[in-house]
Amino acid sequence: MSPRVAKTPQIKKAESLANDRRNSYGENSKSSRKNIRRRKRFVNQSNRHAEKVQERLAITSGTPEEAAEAMQSRRRKRWRKCRDAPLGARLLWQKEARRARAGRKTGQSWTE
């Protein structure tokens, strides 16, 4: 076995900024618990409703072939979760936004 190499604080910090995540969707992070379920439920409900409507139209339109074709022609709605942003990217974005906002009222620029 190879000996374990100790990580420097700088390496630990870099790994932490790459691995830790922050909510970047723009809503309260706690509300995601409810909203993820709500979005999935809404998409499935609208797909079921659209299939029912297509089925009714297909039945009234005529032949079974046309009915099957009408059912296949509609693209289903879908919703997928997206990951939160890495903390390092989030901090960089905040820094750039702060730099862009600086000095708007006074006409001065912000420097580090």
Side-chain angles (χ1 to χ4, degrees):
M1 265 187 151
S2 63
R4 194 165 190 186
V5 179
K7 294 181 183 179
T8 65
Q10 293 83 5
I11 292 175
K12 288 181 183 180
K13 181 71 170 183
E15 288 178 357
S16 173
L17 290 176
N19 293 331
D20 294 349
R21 301 261 169 195
R22 288 298 180 269
N23 188 355
S24 59
Y25 191 70
E27 66 183 10
N28 183 343
S29 61
K30 310 304 184 281
S31 69
S32 296
R33 288 193 301 256
K34 293 180 182 179
N35 287 336
I36 288 170
R37 286 183 236 145
R38 186 177 292 143
R39 287 187 193 107
K40 289 170 76 173
R41 190 168 56 229
F42 173 75
V43 167
N44 291 331
Q45 180 182 354
S46 66
N47 283 333
R48 284 193 308 267
H49 175 72
E51 286 174 7
K52 259 187 211 178
V53 169
Q54 288 289 333
E55 188 177 332
R56 285 188 206 126
L57 288 174
I59 289 171
T60 59
S61 69
T63 66
E65 293 82 21
E66 290 174 357
E69 185 179 329
M71 294 289 284
Q72 296 296 326
S73 65
R74 182 186 171 277
R75 196 170 75 196
R76 295 176 59 87
K77 290 183 181 179
R78 78 181 245 228
W79 180 82
R80 298 190 68 176
K81 294 191 295 184
C82 58
R83 296 174 66 181
D84 290 334
L87 179 58
R90 179 72 178 170
L91 292 176
L92 185 63
W93 176 83
Q94 284 179 339
K95 192 175 193 179
E96 293 300 321
R98 190 178 307 123
R99 186 173 280 137
R101 284 192 310 265
R104 284 187 184 167
K105 293 184 180 180
T106 62
Q108 300 169 356
S109 63
W110 180 73
T111 58
E112 288 184 30

